[in-house]
Each structure stands twice: as C-alpha cells, then as structure tokens.
Amino acid sequence: MNANEEKTLFRLADSMEPEAAADRFGDVEPSREEARLDAQALDRIRSRTFAKLGLAANPALSPGSDTAAAPDTPAAAEAPLSSEAVKRRSPLRRRLLAAAVAGLCLLAGALALYASPDVRAQVRKMLQFIPGYGTVQSSEDNEILYILPAPVAHLDGTGRIDIRGVSIGSTHSSAALTGTAAPIKTMELINADGNRYEFKASMIASAGDWTGGFYYTGPIKVTEEMSVSFDGTPSDMKIRLTPPEKVDRVEDLGVTDVRSGITLTAVATAQRNGQMRVTLVPQLPSASRIESFGLGSYENIDAPTLTGPAGEPIPYMRDENFPNPNELMFGHNGQGEAGYKLYIPELALVRRAEKPVKLTIPLPQSGVLELNRQWDLLGFPVKVKRVERLTYDSYVPGSIRIEFDLQHDDTEMESLLHFFPDFSVKGQSGGASSRLNEVTRAMEDMTLEAEPDQQELTIYVTEIRTVVRGPWEFELNTAAK
C-alpha cells in the first residue's frame, strides 16, 4: 500500500460513524484453520480491541447499552461510552478511531494475503524442527540443510564424548557436545571427499561433566557419512546427517493444545536408547518468553504429570547434561503403544515492556511509611503497602524494605509473580532481594539500597514474571520417528 492509498483509506475511515464501524467489524472472525485460540481468548481479544475504540465488544450492543463486555484479565475494562458522549467525540477522537479501523483493514488484508496458496507455501516451508536443541526455527535467514537425528557417542581410553545435536545451515552451522574427559576446543567434520570443517567452541561449561556449544561459518558439503575428529585427533566416530523435517505449521509436528492464549505443541521423538523425548514448542505473544514449564525441581510452579496407557503415573526425567527447559524423557517400549498423556498445569512466563515502567516511591527518614499507593505494571495492579527504613544493626546501611500487594488471584488465567528493578536503564548499579509468599509464590517484599537522607526512590521495570494457568493436555504420538 502506497502513501496515497493509505491516505484514502484513512479519509474513508474518518468519515465512518463509530456505530457503522461496529456493524462492519463486529463480526470479524479469524478463519478456523488459522485461529488456534479458544473461545475465551477470542472474546478477550475482541473486548480489548473494541474497548480501545470506545465501542461495545458485542456489535449487537449499542455504545450506551447497560450490558458491558466482561473485563479483560489482567487489564481493567474501560466503561462503555454513552450515545451522547459518542456524538460529542472530537475530530482527534475520530482520527484515532479511523486509525484503529484502518489497522483492522490492514490486518484483514494481511490475512487475505496469507490465505493465498503461493504465499502460504513460502511461509510454511520455513519451519524446521531441530532435534538436540529442542527448537523449531525459521529458515528465512539461514536455511537448515542437515541435522543429526539422534545423539551419538564416542568412547576412548580417557572418557566419553556425546554429540547431542548438529545443525548444518546454508550460512552457519552449530553443534552441541557433552563429555566426561577433558573439554575439547574444536570439533572437525570430514566429508567423503576429504574436505575438513573445523567447529570452534563458543561456550564450555563444566559441573562434573562438561557441555559445549560449537560453531562454523560458511557452507559445508555434506556427504552420506561424515567422520569426526576432536582437537585434531582422528576418531572412529562416524555420523550420518539427514535433512530436517519441514512442516506446514508448528502444529503439524505433534499434538497441540491452546489455553490462556498460549499454544503448545508436544513433539515426541523416539531415542536410540529406548526412551522417548518430548519437546514442548510454544507459540507466544510478542515480547514474551516461557521461563519455566515446571520441569526443574527448584522451580516454583506446579510440575507436569505423565500417565501411561492404563492411567498409571509414568516417571520422567530431564537430560542431565543438556537440560533444555522445554524437554523431558521417559522410558518407552518402542512399539508405538498409544495412550501416554502429558498434563502441563501452568507456565512461568516473562513479559517485556515496550519501554521501561517508572516507579517513584517516597521514603521515610526512619521507621515505616504507610503508603497504600497502586501502580499499573504491564496491565497488572501493583500496590505498595508500606516502606520501611531498616536499622543499621539488622541490614547494611541505607537499606529499605518495600512491602507489596501483587493482588495475586489463583482463579485468574494469569497472575503476577514478581519483578526486579532494571538498574541498567539509567546506567546505575545496585542490587535487590525479595521474599515470596510460600502459598501463592508471589513477591511480598523487596529490599533495596537507599542513601540515609534519600527522600524518594525511583526504579525502572522492564520485565515481569507471571504464572499462566492451563491446563495443557496432550495424548502423545509415540510412534517412532
């Protein structure tokens, strides 16, 4: 769309009455094939969109109707405007409405374009599952040409080296290794023509056994069988690389469930040792990431459960050397028996702000200041109940404690757990510690540094951590791949 076409669209939208906009856009629905949200999530999206337009979420209701849409969680709902207020809407308000309507038009146009078979083919061919890394990635910038389908091990007199994953790309490649002997610095792949490709270590971590990430930049000619050497020393290890699985959509990799606006796909892959590896691949809102699926013993959210064909509990484990936060493994008979069910009760999610949120909190010179002041933090209410100046004999000089009420609610689909100040926003240095409620797991208070004569404290928040409740349920496809 060029500038003139865009101006025309905005002029047409600006001339549209709000009620007409509601009539035209109130029944906009995503196609069943493309929309993977449950009904509640769709209702929340529609409510939020029309609330920002100053219209009722249900086009059958006039803006002055007594029946209002349910408030979106966690953001508070806006009160619908009366008919009289709509008539008094200023030209600026009309222009804002026009921009919103134009945005809906652009979205509809984008969906129509995506519906084109040619465009969809171009988009779909980008999705590739990379075993060993637990990821699905787009091949737009670096198409993955070959992968290692299952881990391989090398044994010698000094120890063991496992190659957990290999990804050969069109422009750069990587490998993930673990070992019990001394860490290596390079890994070389040699093809049948004798061409050698040296992967250098980008990261080595050691806590008992070592783990390492290795990389190579440039094209690699892959042959049917590739030899491997470590630190220039030949070995008897041979690997066979295969093209990665390409799918139309992430959902085509495994079984998918959608809850609370988050899509999870469980990809089950048979391992050579008789185990089944399950990788949870999320599709998330922008500026967010999953911090935990509850698979670690130290994580403060409810852990997943796994049951067998008869409903019996099945123990599962994580890869000891490469504990990807989105992967688990369990013993399997390898005969494709169905009926294994995975249950994910909740997720720990990190949401990032578009720009830092500023909180300025007054400080007492001594004792306790009862504040009871509330802020909005990325749509979640945060109340500062009181601020206490701590005594020197109990804490380091200049410490203060801020007591919070995060208004945690176990019945909501998403609740705020905690946040920390981002001292890098203003180039500051500092630290903070917090205490969590043992039942709700939400932050109760935070201790920070402050000068003895400081009258107020300003902190910036760029990320928050929430718990998102499901449950997500999967009947796993355990047929060997």
Side-chain angles (χ1 to χ4, degrees):
M1 176 176 294
N2 59 38
N4 290 332
E5 291 171 330
E6 185 175 79
K7 289 178 181 178
T8 301
L9 174 63
F10 272 76
R11 280 198 301 269
L12 291 172
D14 194 38
S15 65
M16 187 183 299
E17 289 298 326
E19 292 80 3
D23 290 338
R24 296 192 182 193
F25 293 101
D27 60 352
V28 171
E29 295 279 354
S31 70
R32 291 189 177 183
E33 181 181 2
E34 302 304 330
R36 294 292 174 181
L37 294 174
D38 54 33
Q40 290 182 342
L42 289 172
D43 288 341
R44 288 192 299 272
I45 292 171
R46 183 180 288 105
S47 298
R48 176 172 292 177
T49 301
F50 280 85
K52 291 182 180 297
L53 294 177
L55 303 173
N58 186 339
L61 302 177
S62 68
S65 170
D66 293 334
T67 306
D72 187 21
T73 303
E78 298 180 17
L81 297 176
S82 67
S83 300
E84 183 179 357
V86 169
K87 293 178 180 178
R88 293 199 304 266
R89 185 176 278 116
S90 66
L92 175 60
R93 176 67 171 169
R94 292 277 298 280
R95 286 194 293 273
L96 291 175
L97 173 62
V101 172
L104 289 175
C105 293
L106 293 174
L107 175 61
L111 291 175
L113 177 64
Y114 182 68
S116 164
D118 292 338
V119 174
R120 289 170 64 84
Q122 292 296 320
V123 173
R124 287 179 170 181
K125 74 178 183 181
M126 299 296 178
L127 298 178
Q128 299 172 308
F129 178 64
I130 315 299
Y133 297 90
T135 61
V136 173
Q137 74 173 53
S138 166
S139 61
E140 185 175 359
D141 298 325
N142 177 52
E143 183 178 3
I144 305 303
L145 306 175
Y146 294 92
I147 51 93
L148 183 68
V152 294
H154 166 68
L155 293 169
D156 59 23
T158 61
R160 171 188 176 115
I161 297 177
D162 286 359
I163 301 181
R164 304 296 299 170
V166 175
S167 171
I168 305 297
S170 56
T171 58
H172 50 273
S173 305
S174 64
L177 279 71
T178 182
T180 59
I184 64 172
K185 296 181 180 179
T186 63
M187 180 195 79
E188 234 178 1
L189 291 185
I190 305 101
N191 66 13
D193 299 329
N195 299 322
R196 310 176 75 92
Y197 307 95
E198 185 181 76
F199 287 64
K200 297 181 179 179
S202 58
M203 178 277 296
I204 296 289
S206 179
D209 296 347
W210 61 267
T211 61
F214 295 77
Y215 72 96
Y216 177 85
T217 302
I220 294 178
K221 182 182 179 182
V222 174
T223 54
E224 182 177 1
E225 190 173 69
M226 306 281 282
S227 301
V228 182
S229 72
F230 303 105
D231 287 338
T233 302
S235 74
D236 59 359
M237 176 181 277
K238 308 285 186 182
I239 63 173
R240 291 179 179 271
L241 303 175
T242 62
E245 182 179 3
K246 293 184 179 182
V247 294
D248 289 345
R249 303 167 305 167
V250 174
E251 290 90 333
D252 295 331
L253 288 168
V255 289
T256 297
D257 196 9
V258 183
R259 293 290 184 273
S260 303
I262 292 178
T263 301
L264 293 183
T265 299
V267 184
T269 309
Q271 306 294 288
R272 291 179 179 175
N273 58 4
Q275 291 183 328
M276 184 67 62
R277 182 184 295 267
V278 179
T279 304
L280 296 167
V281 181
Q283 297 180 63
L284 300 171
S286 61
S288 63
R289 70 179 188 276
I290 294 179
E291 186 174 60
S292 170
F293 291 86
L295 293 172
S297 58
Y298 54 87
E299 294 161 345
N300 66 338
I301 62 172
D302 292 342
T305 58
L306 179 68
T307 58
E312 73 278 16
I314 300 293
Y316 60 83
M317 68 204 76
R318 301 177 73 186
D319 189 313
E320 293 182 358
N321 296 316
F322 280 88
N324 291 330
N326 62 327
E327 288 191 324
L328 59 89
M329 297 183 296
F330 65 95
H332 182 253
N333 59 21
Q335 298 177 3
E337 185 177 9
Y340 288 90
K341 295 181 179 179
L342 180 63
Y343 178 93
I344 310 291
E346 56 189 20
L347 308 170
L349 191 71
V350 175
R351 293 188 178 274
R352 185 166 183 84
E354 293 182 3
K355 59 181 181 180
V357 180
K358 179 180 178 181
L359 305 180
T360 300
I361 301 169
L363 304 179
Q365 292 304 298
S366 62
V368 176
L369 171 64
E370 298 288 345
L371 191 58
N372 291 316
R373 181 178 172 187
Q374 185 164 299
W375 282 266
D376 180 278
L377 196 56
L378 279 68
F380 294 87
V382 173
K383 177 184 286 187
V384 175
K385 298 168 63 177
R386 58 182 60 90
V387 185
E388 179 182 3
R389 179 78 67 168
L390 302 176
T391 57
Y392 289 178
D393 56 352
S394 300
Y395 292 84
V396 297
S399 294
I400 60 165
R401 179 190 292 128
I402 303 174
E403 185 175 334
F404 293 98
D405 178 5
L406 301 189
Q407 303 182 40
H408 191 92
D409 187 345
D410 286 338
T411 66
E412 297 285 357
M413 74 170 189
E414 184 174 9
S415 297
L416 180 61
L417 286 179
H418 58 88
F419 60 89
F420 277 108
D422 187 344
F423 296 103
S424 67
V425 171
K426 293 295 183 180
Q428 301 172 339
S429 62
S433 63
S434 64
R435 182 168 58 93
L436 307 183
N437 184 288
E438 294 182 359
V439 177
T440 67
R441 302 156 298 177
M443 181 174 62
E444 288 191 335
D445 59 52
M446 182 187 300
T447 302
L448 303 99
E449 299 175 3
E451 297 296 331
D453 58 348
Q454 193 170 336
Q455 296 183 358
E456 63 180 22
L457 176 69
T458 297
I459 63 175
Y460 294 89
V461 179
T462 54
E463 288 186 345
I464 63 171
R465 281 152 181 81
T466 69
V467 55
V468 182
R469 301 176 179 89
W472 293 261
E473 300 177 77
F474 311 93
E475 182 162 349
L476 300 175
N477 179 7
T478 53
K481 291 187 178 181

